[in-house]
Amino acid sequence: MTRIRFQSVCLAFLLVLQPVIALGSSISPSDSIRRQLSHLSGTAKLQALNNLCYIAGNQNDSINELNYIEAFRKEAAKQHNVDDETEARAMRLNCLYNYQMRDQMAEELPENLNFFAKHERWDKYYGKWTLLVETCLNNGQFQTALNETQKIYADAKKRKNASGIGIACSCLGKTYWHMRMYSQSAKNFAEALKYLKPGVNDTELLDTYDAYSTVLNNTYKYEKIKELGPNWLKLLDSYKTSYLSQGIDISALADFYRKYYTAMGTAEGGLGHYPQAKALLDKALALCADASPLAKVSTLASLTLYYTDIKDYDKALAVNKERYELDRRMGDIYGILDVYEQNSSILMLAGRKAEAADYFQKMIPLKDSISSNETSSQLNELNTIY
């Protein structure tokens, strides 16, 4: 999540849409912008191309998004606008990563890092470097991810760059989290928060708050989760204020608030503050209406814990049924296993031991499959390293 030049973007939209609005046309915003491009120049043209990139991104249109990003980059380079060229290059790397074109992303990364370093765009330099780490983590290549993160940290230390150190610490936290070394992960996230600053590292801060709260939840450190709350909410509210003051739709913030309310609701439930927990989880659920299945399952998992804690086992199982369907559709074997584990525990607490045993039986092949996949990934990684 990056801060966009909101006033400029809104102005660009108004400029390119004004003739269309006047005619009452049903032409889409992207079509209207494209029709006006040939009449635009300078900053207005860059802003229009930037808008086309975001429209395509919101439509999950990889071909158009990549084409518009390239047009945006070329126009920025032509105008010698380093800020916009930096933004375009970062957008392309994100796009390649998000659309699973990760080999292409890795191939293009070095040249882009050189560009960011040449122009001292260190937030982009370190932030985009971490895409390599994210790729390794997604592939189960934990040692490679750790090695790459240590390179980022060493580079940032050498340059005495606070943003880079904070980003590297957060990346270390994620790596140890994936390795299930929660204590070390928590230490790294705490260290990251010493270096990451609002207004400079907003994207990394929001990401770190979310990941850190998950690790703290895994280690039952509920008070520490609550300690993150004020600064986390303050950062989110600063975005909301900025959006509202410029007449921008705040729906884009929904998923970020959902993560905050889910984390705080989970913490209150863990502390036995059940009315407060339910109120917060209800707010998170209300923000799930248009959320992706992946986003929704994390909130549903916390709601299952809440109903289990208050001994409403039927509702806990009902929520998990909804969650299971989402995980099944996504093909998330880890999510399905977690549902089975939760269901077996809930049924044992409810005294329904025979049904619990059925879930224990279902877990065996899933665990074997996961273990086999993880072992295969680790062996492939070792063969690559050595």
Side-chain angles (χ1 to χ4, degrees):
M1 179 173 167
T2 55
R3 287 192 183 277
I4 307 168
R5 300 179 306 282
F6 294 119
Q7 290 175 328
S8 300
V9 170
C10 288
L11 178 60
F13 264 122
L14 289 173
L15 286 171
V16 298
L17 292 179
Q18 190 173 16
V20 178
I21 294 169
L23 294 172
S25 173
S26 61
I27 296 173
S28 70
S30 57
D31 285 341
S32 66
I33 293 173
R34 282 197 297 270
R35 291 186 180 193
Q36 292 295 315
L37 271 178
S38 62
H39 304 292
L40 299 174
S41 61
T43 301
K45 187 170 186 178
L46 286 171
Q47 291 164 350
L49 287 167
N50 184 299
N51 288 331
L52 285 172
C53 295
Y54 279 98
I55 290 170
N58 289 334
Q59 295 171 342
N60 291 317
D61 186 341
S62 62
I63 295 174
N64 271 339
E65 188 174 359
L66 285 167
N67 286 339
Y68 289 140
I69 290 171
E70 182 61 12
F72 180 37
R73 186 197 65 77
K74 285 182 177 179
E75 183 63 27
K78 179 182 175 183
Q79 295 189 31
H80 305 289
N81 188 316
V82 174
D83 286 341
D84 279 346
E85 186 173 358
T86 298
E87 182 67 17
R89 286 171 175 269
M91 289 167 71
R92 177 172 172 82
L93 292 171
N94 287 341
C95 189
L96 292 172
Y97 179 86
N98 290 334
Y99 287 113
Q100 307 294 322
M101 305 176 193
R102 291 171 184 170
D103 289 342
Q104 181 70 23
M105 182 275 296
E107 183 179 327
E108 295 183 14
L109 185 64
E111 191 272 329
N112 282 290
L113 293 183
N114 287 337
F115 178 90
F116 299 148
K118 176 183 176 181
H119 297 285
E120 298 186 348
R121 297 318 197 255
W122 300 115
D123 57 332
K124 292 291 190 290
Y125 175 80
Y126 292 110
K128 297 310 115 184
W129 191 349
T130 64
L131 290 176
L132 280 183
V133 179
E134 299 282 357
T135 300
C136 292
L137 293 176
N138 286 328
N139 292 337
Q141 299 170 327
F142 302 143
Q143 189 58 52
T144 304
L146 190 60
N147 292 343
E148 196 66 35
T149 305
Q150 288 169 339
K151 289 179 187 176
I152 298 172
Y153 184 81
D155 187 279
K157 287 283 283 186
K158 182 179 69 176
R159 299 180 194 273
K160 299 179 180 178
N161 187 282
S163 287
I165 293 171
I167 290 169
C169 287
S170 185
C171 226
L172 280 169
K174 290 180 193 173
T175 303
Y176 284 120
W177 171 23
H178 278 77
M179 296 169 74
R180 301 183 182 92
M181 298 172 63
Y182 299 131
S183 178
Q184 183 60 48
S185 173
K187 289 179 182 177
N188 289 124
F189 283 133
E191 188 70 10
L193 293 178
K194 296 178 183 178
Y195 292 95
L196 299 175
K197 303 299 181 187
V200 179
N201 310 113
D202 290 348
T203 304
E204 290 80 14
L205 270 171
L206 290 173
D207 195 34
T208 299
Y209 285 137
D210 182 40
Y212 189 16
S213 69
T214 302
V215 170
L216 292 172
N217 180 50
N218 288 344
T219 52
Y220 313 107
K221 302 289 179 61
Y222 304 120
E223 286 289 358
K224 281 194 170 292
I225 297 175
K226 288 186 66 176
E227 288 174 11
L228 298 177
N231 287 333
W232 191 350
L233 184 60
K234 182 179 179 181
L235 180 57
L236 285 171
D237 285 345
S238 73
Y239 274 99
K240 186 177 180 180
T241 300
S242 179
Y243 277 46
L244 290 172
S245 68
Q246 297 170 75
I248 297 168
D249 184 5
I250 62 171
S251 63
L253 298 174
D255 196 52
F256 294 97
Y257 273 102
R258 179 197 62 78
K259 291 175 181 177
Y260 166 79
Y261 288 129
T262 298
M264 295 303 118
T266 302
E268 294 289 6
L271 293 168
H273 305 156
Y274 299 124
Q276 296 93 321
K278 186 60 166 60
L280 288 161
L281 291 173
D282 281 346
K283 287 184 177 183
L285 276 175
L287 295 169
C288 285
D290 299 317
S292 67
L294 184 61
K296 193 171 184 180
V297 292
S298 66
T299 298
L300 291 176
S302 293
L303 190 61
T304 298
L305 288 174
Y306 164 78
Y307 282 125
T308 303
D309 286 342
I310 65 170
K311 298 180 170 51
D312 193 336
Y313 302 128
D314 287 337
K315 282 190 178 178
L317 292 168
V319 172
N320 257 3
K321 183 178 180 181
E322 182 180 357
R323 183 181 160 210
Y324 169 80
E325 288 301 324
L326 293 171
D327 282 323
R328 184 183 61 81
R329 275 185 281 173
M330 291 189 295
D332 185 354
I333 190 172
Y334 290 94
I336 292 171
L337 178 60
D338 192 51
V339 169
Y340 286 171
E341 288 179 334
Q342 277 194 338
N343 280 355
S344 62
S345 297
I346 294 166
L347 289 164
M348 286 295 289
L349 289 169
R352 296 157 61 178
K353 296 181 180 179
E355 293 172 78
D358 287 340
Y359 279 103
F360 281 121
Q361 289 298 317
K362 290 180 180 180
M363 286 160 53
I364 293 171
L366 280 180
K367 286 186 173 181
D368 288 344
S369 177
I370 289 171
S371 178
S372 176
N373 289 339
E374 289 182 346
T375 299
S376 177
S377 294
Q378 289 164 8
L379 287 173
N380 288 337
E381 180 182 27
L382 289 173
N383 287 333
T384 301
I385 294 173
Y386 301 109

